Structure formats: C-alpha cells, structure tokens
Amino acid sequence: MSGKSRVNYRPEPSGNPVRDSALGLEPATLEPFLALNNAVWQAGPLPPADLELARLRNAHHVGCVFCKNVRYDLARADGLTEAEAQAAGSQRLETSLSGRQQLLLDYCDQYLRDPAGLAADLKAKLLATFSVEELLHLSLALAHFNAFSRCAVALGGMPDDMPVTEISLPA
Amino acid sequence: MLAITQVKKGQTAVMTWLAPATDFNGTAAGLPALAEAHLQLYRSLVHQQAVPAFTLELCRLRLAQLHGTTAQWLPPLAAVEEDSAGALRQWPAHASFSDTDRACLDFAEVYAIDPGALSDEQADRVKVCVGERGLVVLIEALGVLDGALRLGLLWELDGEKA
C-alpha cells in the first residue's frame, strides 16, 4: 500500500473532509457522492449502529487505516460500543455481538468476498431476521462503504496507523 | 438462480430473492431516495469530462468479466463497438485501445483484486493520460462500477446466477 499521496490537491479548507479531499477535484461527481453519503446514513431503515458495524467490517476487509479507525458519532449515540466496533473487525465469532449483528456481518462478508455465492440457508436466515428494506439498505450502504474505502486506499497517502477518532457525518 | 412465483392461476412472475422484480429500480423500489442517490452518482460518470466515458465503459466491461458477469441490467456509460468489447481480454496487445484505455484498464484490473496492490507507477501512467483529476474520477468510477456489479450478483438481478 502506497504511503505516498497520488493526488496533490490542497484547497482552502471548507470544514467538510470529503470536499477537502482529492474527491473535491471533480465537481461533477462530488455533489452526487456527498448526497449519496448522506442518504446512506439517513434515508433507510437501519439504525446508525448497524451501519457502523457494516462500515467497519468493510474497512477491515479492504485494509483502509482511515476507515478502520474513525467512529461516526451518530453510531455511538445510537448505542454502538467500542467492543462491538472492535468485534466488527474480527473474523472470529464474537460473543460481544448479538445473533442479529453477527448475521449482518455474515451478509457483509458475502458481499465483500463472494457476492455471487449467497447460499439458500443464509438467505432464509436473513429474510427471517431483517425486513427486505433493511437488506436493501444494508446492501446499498455496503456498496458505498466499499467504494469509499477502496477509493481512499487507491489514492495513496495512507498512514501505517492512527488513533481511533470520532467524526460527524459531513454536512 | 431466479425464483419464479405463482401469482395467479395461469400467470407467473419472475423475481429476485428480495423483491418481485429483476432490475435495479424494481428491486430497490422500497428505498427510492437511496436508490436514486446511487443512480445519480452512476449517471455523473457520464457527465464528468476528465476521463472519456468510452474508457470508463471499457473498465466497466472488464470489471464485469473479472466478476464473471455480463451485468446486462446495468446501463452502459458509452457505446462500445463489438470488436472492442470482444478484444477486451487481450487489451494489452490489441490495437483497438488507446494509451488512455490501456493505462485505465491496467489500473482497473489491479483495483479489482486489491486496491492496496496498486503501484505509484500505475497511477502515474493514468495521470500522464488524464491528469490528477482524471485519476480521481477513474478511482471513483471503479468504486461505483464494482459496487454496482457486486449488487447485481448479490441480488441476482436479471438472473445473474441463472
């Protein structure tokens, strides 16, 4: 993974970390990207704590240091504990997670590792536990989280490590 | 695999495991605002001017090949002649492709496997052709396209697993 940033974009800081990142270079895609980010967190039935579990599972899969170490304040306010956040990055069956949370992570793993291989028994468990709207929300959120993490890694400049840092949803 | 459900005597409906539809809009109809936000970002790839939409469409087709899908439910970003699409598996040696196409396809293939394995040299080759802004657009586009392909497979749109 390259520690060298591949894009040198230094705009006047706006206070929005996405707008101030390399993504700010292309206005045609920036606004739809920001709108999608807000919709992922605010326009679906899953609570922020569930979305944060999915985001963190993806972050560990992709190996994005930024994504692994940030925590959305709205997820913490929704009740997500640091133990649960850490467990989302573990591949072990975690006793700190509920069956519902573990199933959510199983669906994330399917998307990330083998989206064509969803087995009938996992489908049945998912449909018995989540509503269709929740599964759609989780799917669309995962697609966004995965694209964002991959984007951060591909742009380079990733530190080797960073402290856990709380952030807010960019306005 | 498509699920076929008997809805009325003598009539059948084809559906994915999530909804009575086989396309993205129909499957995601339960979450219209979020689905539309995804589609708006997808459409923005056609309107940006940093990377030719034709090149992004080649990347979409190549990613689909790597995922083992045709993703016919996904609207193309640009028209690509059959000759070019057919030659895509041989893009490094085939005369159909420009330097920009090659640099972007090379980047796309590694991105698909592991974005952490991309080299600075690969990024530099893209920047020589389309600049820093183009590299940003390419990286964003690959995320959007890879995500759409994964959703299609996961949701079994248009019988992806049939």
Side-chain angles (χ1 to χ4, degrees):
Chain A
M1 194 175 300
S2 178
K4 173 187 155 194
S5 181
R6 291 168 177 152
V7 175
N8 294 304
Y9 178 60
R10 301 280 181 275
E12 197 67 32
S14 71
N16 182 319
V18 177
R19 212 176 277 282
D20 295 342
S21 75
L23 298 185
L25 262 175
E26 178 50 57
T29 53
L30 175 65
E31 298 308 329
F33 182 92
L34 288 168
L36 174 58
N37 195 51
N38 281 316
V40 160
W41 287 97
Q42 298 174 332
L46 284 177
D50 283 351
L51 293 171
E52 186 74 332
L53 280 179
R55 191 189 64 77
L56 289 167
R57 183 64 140 211
N58 164 75
H60 281 268
H61 179 89
V62 176
C64 176
V65 176
F66 289 126
C67 307
K68 281 194 288 190
N69 289 293
V70 298
R71 304 284 184 269
Y72 273 89
D73 56 2
L74 71 176
R76 283 179 163 172
D78 188 41
L80 185 76
T81 66
E82 186 55 27
E84 290 169 330
Q86 293 288 340
S90 168
Q91 294 304 311
R92 298 191 308 274
L93 194 61
E94 289 285 345
T95 53
S96 58
L97 297 177
S98 68
R100 183 181 185 280
Q101 288 172 319
Q102 191 62 54
L103 191 57
L104 181 147
L105 294 181
D106 289 346
Y107 189 64
C108 295
D109 290 343
Q110 196 72 54
Y111 175 93
L112 295 165
R113 292 178 184 154
D114 180 18
L118 185 59
D121 61 338
L122 181 53
K123 276 182 204 168
K125 285 182 194 169
L126 288 163
L127 289 168
T129 306
F130 297 94
S131 70
V132 166
E133 286 74 20
E134 286 175 327
L135 292 171
L136 291 170
H137 189 190
L138 179 55
S139 308
L140 292 165
L142 264 173
H144 176 63
F145 296 150
N146 191 235
F148 189 81
S149 293
R150 285 170 164 266
C151 184
V153 170
L155 285 168
M158 191 69 67
D160 292 333
D161 199 8
M162 64 177 271
V164 171
T165 305
E166 185 171 295
I167 61 167
S168 300
L169 189 61
Chain B
M1 186 184 303
L2 288 173
I4 300 177
T5 304
Q6 194 79 25
V7 289
K8 273 186 183 178
K9 192 172 183 181
Q11 290 185 326
T12 56
V14 182
M15 54 190 286
T16 68
W17 64 282
L18 282 169
T22 60
D23 63 354
F24 179 90
N25 287 332
T27 302
L31 289 181
L34 187 49
E36 181 56 26
H38 268 273
L39 290 172
Q40 287 284 357
L41 183 56
Y42 188 85
R43 290 186 200 112
S44 75
L45 300 178
V46 178
H47 301 308
Q48 58 74 36
Q49 311 230 321
V51 182
F54 174 84
T55 303
L56 295 183
E57 175 63 8
L58 290 177
C59 291
R60 185 186 78 85
L61 292 170
R62 185 66 186 126
L63 288 179
Q65 287 177 344
L66 295 173
H67 275 293
T69 177
T70 56
Q72 289 179 347
W73 63 272
L74 199 54
L77 297 168
V80 172
E81 290 178 5
E82 269 187 40
D83 285 354
S84 294
L88 208 43
R89 289 181 197 276
Q90 291 84 41
W91 67 262
H94 203 280
S96 295
F97 305 108
S98 68
D99 288 347
T100 298
D101 298 337
R102 290 175 203 282
C104 293
L105 286 165
D106 180 44
F107 196 92
E109 286 192 346
V110 178
Y111 174 98
I113 298 162
D114 177 8
L118 287 161
S119 70
D120 292 335
E121 290 72 26
Q122 286 173 307
D124 289 343
R125 282 198 288 275
V126 172
K127 285 191 283 187
V128 164
C129 297
V130 293
E132 284 198 337
R133 189 171 156 194
L135 177 64
V136 170
V137 167
L138 176 65
I139 289 171
E140 278 192 279
L142 293 176
V144 171
L145 299 171
D146 183 73
L149 293 166
R150 285 175 186 271
L151 285 177
L153 291 166
L154 192 70
W155 291 355
E156 301 168 10
L157 300 182
D158 280 344
E160 289 276 22
K161 294 171 76 176

Coordinates of all heavy atoms in Angstrom, one line a residue, chain B residues 4-84:
Chain B
I4 N -39.3 -18.2 -9.3 CA -40.5 -18.0 -10.1 C -41.7 -18.3 -9.2 O -41.8 -19.4 -8.6 CB -40.6 -18.8 -11.3 CG1 -39.3 -18.5 -12.2 CG2 -41.9 -18.7 -12.1 CD1 -39.2 -19.3 -13.5
T5 N -42.5 -17.3 -9.0 CA -43.6 -17.4 -8.0 C -44.9 -17.4 -8.8 O -45.2 -16.5 -9.6 CB -43.6 -16.2 -7.0 OG1 -42.3 -16.2 -6.4 CG2 -44.6 -16.4 -6.0
Q6 N -45.8 -18.3 -8.4 CA -47.1 -18.3 -8.9 C -47.9 -17.2 -8.3 O -48.1 -17.2 -7.1 CB -47.8 -19.7 -8.6 CG -49.0 -20.0 -9.4 CD -48.7 -20.4 -10.8 OE1 -47.7 -21.0 -11.1 NE2 -49.7 -20.2 -11.7
V7 N -48.4 -16.3 -9.1 CA -49.2 -15.1 -8.5 C -50.7 -15.3 -8.8 O -51.5 -14.9 -8.0 CB -48.7 -13.8 -9.0 CG1 -47.3 -13.5 -8.4 CG2 -48.6 -13.7 -10.5
K8 N -51.0 -15.8 -9.9 CA -52.4 -16.0 -10.3 C -52.5 -17.3 -11.1 O -51.5 -17.6 -11.7 CB -53.0 -14.9 -11.1 CG -53.5 -13.7 -10.3 CD -54.2 -12.7 -11.3 CE -54.7 -11.5 -10.5 NZ -55.2 -10.5 -11.5
K9 N -53.6 -17.9 -11.1 CA -53.7 -19.1 -12.0 C -53.4 -18.7 -13.4 O -53.9 -17.8 -14.0 CB -55.2 -19.6 -11.9 CG -55.3 -21.0 -12.5 CD -56.7 -21.6 -12.2 CE -56.8 -23.0 -12.8 NZ -58.1 -23.5 -12.5
G10 N -52.4 -19.4 -13.9 CA -52.1 -19.2 -15.3 C -51.1 -18.1 -15.5 O -50.6 -17.8 -16.7
Q11 N -50.7 -17.4 -14.5 CA -49.7 -16.3 -14.6 C -48.5 -16.6 -13.7 O -48.7 -17.1 -12.6 CB -50.3 -14.9 -14.3 CG -51.3 -14.4 -15.2 CD -51.8 -13.1 -14.9 OE1 -51.9 -12.7 -13.7 NE2 -52.1 -12.3 -15.9
T12 N -47.3 -16.1 -14.1 CA -46.2 -16.3 -13.3 C -45.4 -14.9 -13.2 O -45.5 -14.1 -14.1 CB -45.2 -17.3 -13.8 OG1 -44.8 -17.0 -15.1 CG2 -45.8 -18.7 -13.7
A13 N -44.7 -14.7 -12.2 CA -43.9 -13.5 -12.0 C -42.5 -13.9 -11.7 O -42.3 -14.8 -10.9 CB -44.4 -12.6 -10.9
V14 N -41.5 -13.3 -12.4 CA -40.1 -13.6 -12.1 C -39.6 -12.6 -11.1 O -39.9 -11.4 -11.3 CB -39.3 -13.6 -13.4 CG1 -37.9 -13.9 -13.2 CG2 -39.9 -14.6 -14.4
M15 N -38.8 -13.0 -10.2 CA -38.4 -12.1 -9.1 C -37.0 -12.5 -8.6 O -36.6 -13.7 -8.7 CB -39.4 -12.0 -8.0 CG -39.7 -13.4 -7.4 SD -41.1 -13.3 -6.3 CE -40.4 -12.6 -4.9
T16 N -36.3 -11.6 -8.0 CA -35.1 -11.9 -7.2 C -35.5 -12.4 -5.9 O -36.7 -12.4 -5.5 CB -34.2 -10.7 -7.1 OG1 -34.9 -9.8 -6.2 CG2 -34.0 -10.0 -8.4
W17 N -34.6 -12.7 -5.0 CA -34.9 -13.2 -3.7 C -35.4 -12.1 -2.8 O -35.9 -12.3 -1.7 CB -33.7 -14.0 -3.1 CG -32.5 -13.2 -2.8 CD1 -31.6 -12.8 -3.7 CD2 -32.1 -12.6 -1.5 NE1 -30.6 -12.1 -3.1 CE2 -30.8 -12.0 -1.8 CE3 -32.6 -12.7 -0.2 CZ2 -30.1 -11.3 -0.8 CZ3 -31.8 -12.0 0.8 CH2 -30.6 -11.4 0.5
L18 N -35.2 -10.8 -3.2 CA -35.6 -9.7 -2.4 C -36.9 -9.0 -2.8 O -37.5 -8.3 -2.0 CB -34.4 -8.7 -2.4 CG -33.2 -9.0 -1.6 CD1 -32.1 -8.0 -1.9 CD2 -33.6 -8.9 -0.1
A19 N -37.2 -9.1 -4.0 CA -38.4 -8.3 -4.5 C -39.0 -8.9 -5.8 O -38.3 -9.6 -6.5 CB -37.9 -6.9 -4.8
P20 N -40.2 -8.5 -6.1 CA -40.9 -9.0 -7.3 C -40.4 -8.2 -8.5 O -41.2 -7.5 -9.1 CB -42.3 -8.9 -7.0 CG -42.4 -7.7 -6.0 CD -41.2 -7.8 -5.2
A21 N -39.1 -8.3 -8.8 CA -38.5 -7.5 -9.9 C -37.2 -8.2 -10.3 O -36.7 -9.0 -9.5 CB -38.3 -6.1 -9.5
T22 N -36.7 -7.8 -11.4 CA -35.4 -8.4 -11.8 C -34.4 -7.3 -12.2 O -33.3 -7.6 -12.5 CB -35.5 -9.3 -13.0 OG1 -36.0 -8.6 -14.1 CG2 -36.4 -10.5 -12.8
D23 N -34.8 -6.0 -12.1 CA -33.9 -5.0 -12.4 C -33.6 -4.2 -11.1 O -34.2 -4.4 -10.0 CB -34.4 -4.0 -13.5 CG -35.7 -3.4 -13.0 OD1 -36.2 -3.7 -11.9 OD2 -36.2 -2.5 -13.8
F24 N -32.6 -3.3 -11.2 CA -32.2 -2.5 -10.0 C -33.3 -1.6 -9.5 O -33.6 -1.7 -8.3 CB -31.0 -1.6 -10.4 CG -30.5 -0.7 -9.3 CD1 -29.5 -1.2 -8.4 CD2 -31.0 0.5 -9.1 CE1 -29.0 -0.4 -7.4 CE2 -30.5 1.3 -8.0 CZ -29.5 0.8 -7.2
N25 N -34.0 -0.9 -10.4 CA -35.0 0.0 -9.9 C -36.2 -0.7 -9.2 O -36.6 -0.3 -8.2 CB -35.6 0.8 -11.1 CG -34.6 1.9 -11.6 OD1 -33.8 2.4 -10.8 ND2 -34.7 2.2 -12.8
G26 N -36.6 -1.8 -9.8 CA -37.7 -2.6 -9.2 C -37.3 -3.2 -7.9 O -38.0 -3.2 -6.9
T27 N -36.0 -3.7 -7.8 CA -35.6 -4.4 -6.6 C -35.4 -3.4 -5.5 O -35.8 -3.6 -4.3 CB -34.3 -5.2 -6.9 OG1 -34.5 -6.1 -7.9 CG2 -33.8 -5.9 -5.6
A28 N -34.9 -2.2 -5.8 CA -34.6 -1.2 -4.8 C -35.8 -0.2 -4.6 O -35.7 0.8 -3.9 CB -33.4 -0.4 -5.2
A29 N -36.9 -0.6 -5.2 CA -38.1 0.3 -5.1 C -38.5 0.6 -3.7 O -39.1 1.7 -3.4 CB -39.3 -0.3 -5.9
G30 N -38.2 -0.2 -2.7 CA -38.6 0.0 -1.4 C -37.8 1.1 -0.7 O -38.2 1.6 0.4
L31 N -36.7 1.5 -1.3 CA -35.9 2.6 -0.8 C -35.6 3.6 -1.9 O -34.4 3.7 -2.4 CB -34.5 2.1 -0.3 CG -34.6 1.3 1.0 CD1 -33.2 0.8 1.4 CD2 -35.2 2.1 2.2
P32 N -36.6 4.3 -2.4 CA -36.4 5.1 -3.6 C -35.4 6.2 -3.5 O -34.6 6.5 -4.4 CB -37.8 5.7 -3.9 CG -38.5 5.6 -2.6 CD -37.9 4.4 -1.9
A33 N -35.3 6.9 -2.3 CA -34.3 8.0 -2.2 C -32.9 7.5 -2.3 O -32.0 8.1 -2.9 CB -34.6 8.8 -0.9
L34 N -32.6 6.4 -1.6 CA -31.3 5.9 -1.6 C -30.9 5.3 -2.9 O -29.8 5.5 -3.4 CB -31.2 4.8 -0.5 CG -29.8 4.2 -0.2 CD1 -28.7 5.3 0.0 CD2 -29.9 3.3 1.1
A35 N -31.8 4.6 -3.6 CA -31.6 4.1 -4.9 C -31.3 5.2 -5.9 O -30.4 5.1 -6.7 CB -32.8 3.2 -5.4
E36 N -32.1 6.3 -5.8 CA -31.9 7.4 -6.7 C -30.5 8.0 -6.5 O -29.8 8.5 -7.4 CB -33.0 8.4 -6.6 CG -32.9 9.6 -7.5 CD -32.8 9.2 -9.0 OE1 -33.3 8.2 -9.4 OE2 -32.2 10.0 -9.8
A37 N -30.1 8.1 -5.2 CA -28.8 8.7 -4.9 C -27.7 7.9 -5.6 O -26.7 8.4 -6.1 CB -28.6 8.8 -3.4
H38 N -27.8 6.6 -5.5 CA -26.8 5.7 -6.2 C -26.8 5.9 -7.7 O -25.8 6.1 -8.3 CB -27.1 4.2 -5.9 CG -26.4 3.7 -4.7 ND1 -25.2 3.1 -4.8 CD2 -26.8 3.6 -3.4 CE1 -24.8 2.8 -3.6 NE2 -25.8 3.0 -2.7
L39 N -28.0 6.0 -8.3 CA -28.1 6.2 -9.7 C -27.6 7.6 -10.2 O -27.0 7.7 -11.2 CB -29.6 6.0 -10.2 CG -30.1 4.6 -10.1 CD1 -31.6 4.6 -10.4 CD2 -29.3 3.7 -11.0
Q40 N -27.8 8.6 -9.3 CA -27.3 9.9 -9.7 C -25.7 9.9 -9.7 O -25.1 10.5 -10.6 CB -27.7 10.9 -8.6 CG -29.2 11.3 -8.7 CD -29.5 12.3 -9.8 OE1 -28.6 12.7 -10.5 NE2 -30.7 12.6 -10.0
L41 N -25.1 9.2 -8.8 CA -23.6 9.1 -8.8 C -23.2 8.3 -10.1 O -22.2 8.7 -10.8 CB -23.1 8.5 -7.6 CG -21.6 8.4 -7.4 CD1 -20.9 9.7 -7.6 CD2 -21.2 7.8 -6.1
Y42 N -23.9 7.3 -10.4 CA -23.6 6.5 -11.6 C -23.7 7.4 -12.8 O -22.8 7.4 -13.7 CB -24.6 5.3 -11.7 CG -24.2 4.3 -12.8 CD1 -23.3 3.3 -12.5 CD2 -24.8 4.4 -14.0 CE1 -22.9 2.4 -13.5 CE2 -24.4 3.5 -15.0 CZ -23.5 2.5 -14.8 OH -23.2 1.6 -15.8
R43 N -24.8 8.1 -12.9 CA -25.0 9.0 -14.1 C -23.9 10.1 -14.2 O -23.6 10.5 -15.3 CB -26.4 9.6 -14.1 CG -27.5 8.7 -14.3 CD -28.9 9.4 -14.3 NE -30.0 8.5 -14.0 CZ -30.7 8.6 -13.0 NH1 -30.5 9.6 -12.1 NH2 -31.7 7.7 -12.8
S44 N -23.4 10.5 -13.1 CA -22.4 11.6 -13.1 C -21.1 11.2 -13.8 O -20.4 12.0 -14.2 CB -22.1 12.1 -11.6 OG -21.3 11.1 -11.0
L45 N -20.9 9.9 -13.9 CA -19.7 9.4 -14.6 C -19.8 9.7 -16.0 O -18.7 9.8 -16.7 CB -19.6 7.8 -14.3 CG -19.5 7.4 -12.9 CD1 -19.4 5.9 -12.8 CD2 -18.3 8.0 -12.2
V46 N -21.0 9.8 -16.6 CA -21.1 10.1 -18.0 C -20.9 11.6 -18.2 O -20.4 12.1 -19.2 CB -22.6 9.8 -18.5 CG1 -22.8 10.2 -19.9 CG2 -22.8 8.3 -18.3
H47 N -21.3 12.4 -17.2 CA -21.2 13.9 -17.3 C -19.9 14.5 -17.0 O -19.6 15.6 -17.5 CB -22.3 14.6 -16.5 CG -23.7 14.1 -16.8 ND1 -24.2 14.1 -18.1 CD2 -24.7 13.5 -16.0 CE1 -25.4 13.6 -18.1 NE2 -25.7 13.2 -16.9
Q48 N -19.1 13.8 -16.3 CA -17.7 14.4 -16.0 C -16.9 14.4 -17.3 O -17.2 13.7 -18.2 CB -17.0 13.6 -14.9 CG -16.9 12.1 -15.1 CD -15.8 11.8 -16.2 OE1 -14.7 12.5 -16.2 NE2 -16.0 10.8 -17.0
Q49 N -15.9 15.3 -17.3 CA -15.1 15.4 -18.5 C -13.7 15.1 -18.4 O -12.9 15.3 -19.3 CB -15.2 16.9 -19.0 CG -16.7 17.4 -19.0 CD -17.1 18.1 -20.2 OE1 -16.3 18.8 -20.8 NE2 -18.3 17.9 -20.7
A50 N -13.3 14.5 -17.2 CA -11.9 14.2 -17.0 C -11.4 13.0 -17.7 O -10.2 12.8 -18.1 CB -11.6 14.2 -15.5
V51 N -12.3 12.0 -17.7 CA -11.9 10.7 -18.4 C -13.0 10.4 -19.4 O -14.2 10.5 -19.1 CB -11.9 9.5 -17.3 CG1 -11.5 8.2 -18.0 CG2 -11.0 9.9 -16.2
P52 N -12.6 10.0 -20.6 CA -13.7 9.7 -21.6 C -14.6 8.6 -21.1 O -14.2 7.6 -20.5 CB -12.8 9.1 -22.8 CG -11.5 9.7 -22.6 CD -11.3 9.8 -21.1
A53 N -15.9 8.8 -21.3 CA -16.9 7.8 -20.9 C -16.7 6.5 -21.6 O -16.9 5.4 -21.0 CB -18.3 8.4 -21.2
F54 N -16.1 6.6 -22.8 CA -15.8 5.3 -23.5 C -14.8 4.5 -22.7 O -14.9 3.3 -22.6 CB -15.3 5.7 -24.9 CG -14.8 4.5 -25.7 CD1 -15.7 3.7 -26.4 CD2 -13.4 4.1 -25.7 CE1 -15.2 2.6 -27.2 CE2 -13.0 3.1 -26.4 CZ -13.9 2.3 -27.1
T55 N -13.8 5.1 -22.2 CA -12.8 4.4 -21.4 C -13.4 3.8 -20.1 O -13.1 2.7 -19.8 CB -11.6 5.4 -21.1 OG1 -11.1 5.9 -22.3 CG2 -10.5 4.7 -20.3
L56 N -14.2 4.6 -19.5 CA -14.9 4.1 -18.3 C -15.8 2.9 -18.6 O -15.9 2.0 -17.8 CB -15.7 5.2 -17.6 CG -14.9 6.4 -17.0 CD1 -15.8 7.3 -16.3 CD2 -13.8 5.9 -16.1
E57 N -16.4 3.0 -19.8 CA -17.3 1.8 -20.2 C -16.4 0.6 -20.4 O -16.8 -0.5 -20.1 CB -18.1 2.2 -21.4 CG -18.9 1.0 -22.0 CD -20.0 0.5 -21.1 OE1 -20.2 1.1 -20.0 OE2 -20.6 -0.5 -21.4
L58 N -15.2 0.8 -21.0 CA -14.3 -0.4 -21.2 C -13.9 -1.0 -19.8 O -13.9 -2.2 -19.6 CB -13.0 0.1 -21.9 CG -13.1 0.4 -23.4 CD1 -11.8 0.9 -23.9 CD2 -13.6 -0.8 -24.2
C59 N -13.7 -0.1 -18.8 CA -13.4 -0.5 -17.5 C -14.6 -1.3 -16.9 O -14.4 -2.3 -16.2 CB -13.0 0.6 -16.6 SG -11.4 1.4 -17.0
R60 N -15.8 -0.8 -17.1 CA -17.0 -1.5 -16.6 C -17.1 -2.9 -17.2 O -17.3 -3.9 -16.5 CB -18.3 -0.7 -17.0 CG -19.5 -1.2 -16.4 CD -20.8 -0.5 -16.9 NE -21.1 -0.9 -18.2 CZ -21.9 -2.0 -18.5 NH1 -22.3 -2.8 -17.6 NH2 -22.2 -2.3 -19.8
L61 N -16.9 -3.0 -18.5 CA -17.0 -4.3 -19.2 C -15.8 -5.2 -18.6 O -16.1 -6.4 -18.4 CB -16.8 -4.1 -20.7 CG -18.0 -3.4 -21.3 CD1 -17.7 -3.1 -22.8 CD2 -19.3 -4.2 -21.3
R62 N -14.7 -4.7 -18.4 CA -13.5 -5.5 -17.9 C -13.8 -6.0 -16.5 O -13.6 -7.1 -16.1 CB -12.2 -4.7 -18.0 CG -11.0 -5.6 -17.7 CD -10.8 -6.7 -18.7 NE -9.7 -7.6 -18.3 CZ -9.8 -8.9 -18.2 NH1 -11.0 -9.5 -18.5 NH2 -8.8 -9.6 -17.8
L63 N -14.3 -5.1 -15.6 CA -14.7 -5.5 -14.3 C -15.7 -6.5 -14.3 O -15.7 -7.5 -13.5 CB -15.1 -4.3 -13.5 CG -14.1 -3.2 -13.0 CD1 -14.8 -2.1 -12.3 CD2 -13.0 -3.8 -12.2
A64 N -16.7 -6.4 -15.2 CA -17.8 -7.4 -15.3 C -17.2 -8.7 -15.6 O -17.5 -9.8 -15.1 CB -18.8 -7.0 -16.3
Q65 N -16.2 -8.7 -16.6 CA -15.6 -10.0 -16.9 C -14.9 -10.6 -15.7 O -15.0 -11.8 -15.5 CB -14.5 -9.8 -18.0 CG -15.1 -9.5 -19.4 CD -14.0 -9.2 -20.5 OE1 -12.9 -8.9 -20.1 NE2 -14.4 -9.3 -21.7
L66 N -14.2 -9.8 -15.0 CA -13.5 -10.3 -13.8 C -14.4 -10.8 -12.7 O -14.1 -11.7 -12.0 CB -12.6 -9.2 -13.2 CG -11.4 -8.8 -14.1 CD1 -10.7 -7.5 -13.6 CD2 -10.4 -9.9 -14.4
H67 N -15.6 -10.3 -12.7 CA -16.6 -10.7 -11.7 C -17.4 -11.9 -12.3 O -18.3 -12.5 -11.6 CB -17.6 -9.6 -11.4 CG -17.2 -8.7 -10.3 ND1 -17.0 -9.2 -9.0 CD2 -16.8 -7.4 -10.2 CE1 -16.6 -8.2 -8.2 NE2 -16.5 -7.1 -8.9
G68 N -17.2 -12.3 -13.5 CA -17.9 -13.4 -14.1 C -19.3 -13.1 -14.5 O -20.2 -14.0 -14.3
T69 N -19.6 -11.9 -14.9 CA -21.0 -11.5 -15.2 C -21.0 -10.6 -16.4 O -20.0 -10.1 -16.8 CB -21.6 -10.7 -14.0 OG1 -22.9 -10.3 -14.3 CG2 -20.7 -9.5 -13.6
T70 N -22.2 -10.6 -17.0 CA -22.4 -9.6 -18.2 C -23.0 -8.4 -17.7 O -22.9 -7.3 -18.4 CB -23.2 -10.3 -19.3 OG1 -24.5 -10.7 -18.7 CG2 -22.5 -11.5 -19.9
A71 N -23.7 -8.4 -16.6 CA -24.4 -7.2 -16.0 C -25.2 -6.5 -17.0 O -25.1 -5.3 -17.1 CB -23.3 -6.3 -15.3
Q72 N -26.0 -7.2 -17.7 CA -26.8 -6.5 -18.8 C -27.9 -5.6 -18.2 O -28.4 -4.7 -18.9 CB -27.5 -7.6 -19.6 CG -26.5 -8.3 -20.5 CD -27.0 -9.4 -21.3 OE1 -28.2 -9.8 -21.2 NE2 -26.3 -9.9 -22.3
W73 N -28.2 -5.7 -16.9 CA -29.1 -4.8 -16.3 C -28.6 -3.4 -16.1 O -29.3 -2.4 -15.9 CB -29.6 -5.3 -14.9 CG -28.4 -5.4 -13.9 CD1 -27.6 -6.5 -13.8 CD2 -28.0 -4.4 -13.0 NE1 -26.6 -6.2 -12.8 CE2 -26.9 -4.9 -12.3 CE3 -28.5 -3.1 -12.7 CZ2 -26.2 -4.2 -11.3 CZ3 -27.8 -2.4 -11.7 CH2 -26.7 -2.9 -11.1
L74 N -27.2 -3.3 -16.2 CA -26.6 -2.0 -15.9 C -26.4 -1.2 -17.2 O -25.8 -1.7 -18.1 CB -25.2 -2.3 -15.3 CG -24.4 -1.3 -14.5 CD1 -25.3 -0.7 -13.4 CD2 -23.1 -1.9 -14.0
P75 N -26.9 0.0 -17.2 CA -26.9 0.8 -18.5 C -25.4 1.1 -18.8 O -24.6 1.5 -17.9 CB -27.7 2.1 -18.1 CG -27.7 2.2 -16.7 CD -27.6 0.8 -16.1
P76 N -25.1 1.0 -20.1 CA -23.7 1.4 -20.5 C -23.4 2.9 -20.3 O -24.3 3.7 -20.4 CB -23.6 1.0 -22.0 CG -25.0 0.9 -22.4 CD -25.9 0.6 -21.2
L77 N -22.1 3.2 -20.1 CA -21.7 4.6 -19.9 C -21.5 5.2 -21.3 O -21.5 6.4 -21.4 CB -20.5 4.7 -19.1 CG -20.6 4.2 -17.6 CD1 -19.3 4.0 -16.9 CD2 -21.5 5.1 -16.8
A78 N -21.2 4.4 -22.3 CA -20.9 4.9 -23.6 C -21.0 3.7 -24.6 O -21.0 2.5 -24.1 CB -19.5 5.4 -23.7
A79 N -21.2 4.0 -25.8 CA -21.3 2.9 -26.8 C -19.9 2.3 -27.1 O -19.0 3.1 -27.3 CB -21.9 3.4 -28.1
V80 N -19.8 1.0 -27.1 CA -18.5 0.3 -27.4 C -18.8 -0.7 -28.5 O -19.7 -1.5 -28.3 CB -17.9 -0.4 -26.1 CG1 -16.7 -1.2 -26.5 CG2 -17.5 0.7 -25.1
E81 N -18.1 -0.6 -29.6 CA -18.3 -1.5 -30.7 C -18.0 -2.9 -30.3 O -17.1 -3.2 -29.4 CB -17.4 -1.1 -31.9 CG -17.8 0.2 -32.5 CD -16.9 0.6 -33.7 OE1 -16.0 -0.2 -34.0 OE2 -17.1 1.7 -34.2
E82 N -18.7 -3.8 -30.9 CA -18.5 -5.3 -30.6 C -17.0 -5.7 -30.7 O -16.5 -6.5 -29.9 CB -19.4 -6.1 -31.4 CG -20.7 -6.4 -30.8 CD -21.5 -7.4 -31.6 OE1 -21.0 -8.4 -32.1 OE2 -22.7 -7.1 -31.8
D83 N -16.3 -5.2 -31.7 CA -14.9 -5.6 -31.9 C -14.1 -5.2 -30.6 O -13.3 -6.0 -30.2 CB -14.3 -4.8 -33.1 CG -14.8 -5.4 -34.4 OD1 -15.5 -6.5 -34.3 OD2 -14.5 -4.9 -35.4
S84 N -14.3 -4.0 -30.1 CA -13.5 -3.6 -28.9 C -13.9 -4.4 -27.7 O -13.0 -4.8 -27.0 CB -13.8 -2.1 -28.7 OG -13.3 -1.3 -29.7

